[in-house]
Amino acid sequence: MKRRHFLSSSIALGAFAALWRSPLVSAGLLQESKSNRGNHRGNAGSSPKAKGIKKVIKTNEEWKRILTPEQYDVTRQKGTEAPFSSPLNEIYEQGIFECVACELPIFSSKAKFDSGTGWPSFYQPIAKENVREEVDNSLSETRNEVLCARCDSHLGHVFNDGPRPTGLRYCMNGVALKFVKK
């Protein structure tokens, strides 16, 4: 009985391997994989394009020409600015905080609050579809990274210890945002 099971399993595995190498199957899977990029936790089943947000795609060299070295490090290399270093911490005027790389409106000053962490903090984005989240395991704890839905810039992280009405704290790198007074 064991030999019969071994033989049937081997045949099935061989057939799968042969199909996988088939140009039609592998090309179809590759195309499906490419079309599903951008579907991450928090936006499962939808892409920014489906929400009406046109993606901005640039090479690293193009981003380096547009952004300052500090902005490039944070937005493209997932760096973190020093706490209490952002002038955006002191802004309490009415306006919008945009992605520094593509100018997509991300947060309203109405959702800004002082979290005491040293980074600009907000309890909700202007529109949920303007940001996307990915699981970040780069440190000893698992965090939820927040990215711009248009250009994939790293903005910061979101935590479940914020104020009402959402209970969320979007802890952002000030260098990844720019303030536009309204």
Side-chain angles (χ1 to χ4, degrees):
M1 188 64 145
K2 289 181 183 178
R3 195 163 90 187
R4 187 179 304 155
H5 178 72
F6 173 78
L7 288 172
S8 63
S9 297
S10 297
I11 291 169
L13 186 59
F16 177 76
L19 274 175
W20 183 255
R21 289 187 179 160
S22 164
L24 292 175
V25 172
S26 54
L29 290 173
L30 181 61
Q31 183 64 31
E32 181 179 323
S33 171
K34 284 182 180 177
S35 69
N36 283 334
R37 284 187 187 153
N39 292 343
H40 300 281
R41 192 192 76 70
N43 290 343
S46 67
S47 68
K49 196 170 195 174
K51 299 286 186 179
I53 296 174
K54 186 176 179 188
K55 284 296 231 185
V56 171
I57 300 170
K58 297 184 184 299
T59 66
N60 284 334
E61 292 307 313
E62 289 173 311
W63 286 122
K64 285 179 182 179
R65 283 194 299 270
I66 294 168
L67 303 169
T68 68
E70 188 179 15
Q71 290 169 336
Y72 180 83
D73 178 58
V74 169
T75 61
R76 310 316 302 172
Q77 302 294 311
K78 301 180 187 280
T80 302
E81 69 184 353
F84 302 100
S85 65
S86 175
L88 298 185
N89 284 328
E90 305 305 319
I91 292 179
Y92 295 99
E93 300 171 65
Q94 291 295 318
I96 303 296
F97 294 85
E98 297 178 342
C99 172
V100 74
C102 72
E103 300 180 337
L104 181 68
I106 304 292
F107 297 102
S108 167
S109 60
K110 294 175 184 174
K112 187 174 185 281
F113 69 99
D114 184 359
S115 65
T117 61
W119 288 281
S121 297
F122 305 86
Y123 59 81
Q124 69 185 15
I126 284 179
K128 187 67 179 162
E129 61 266 15
N130 289 13
V131 297
R132 64 181 187 82
E133 297 177 22
E134 285 187 356
V135 174
D136 177 1
N137 291 312
S138 63
L139 297 178
S140 59
E141 66 176 317
T142 299
R143 303 176 296 168
N144 291 325
E145 178 185 9
V146 178
L147 300 119
C148 173
R150 181 186 285 162
C151 69
D152 295 326
S153 285
H154 169 75
L155 302 173
H157 293 86
V158 62
F159 302 94
N160 292 320
D161 59 2
R164 291 182 180 180
T166 64
L168 299 174
R169 173 174 52 97
Y170 286 83
C171 191
M172 302 292 101
N173 289 288
V175 74
L177 301 171
K178 75 175 185 177
F179 179 71
V180 179
K181 191 175 176 178
K182 295 288 178 187

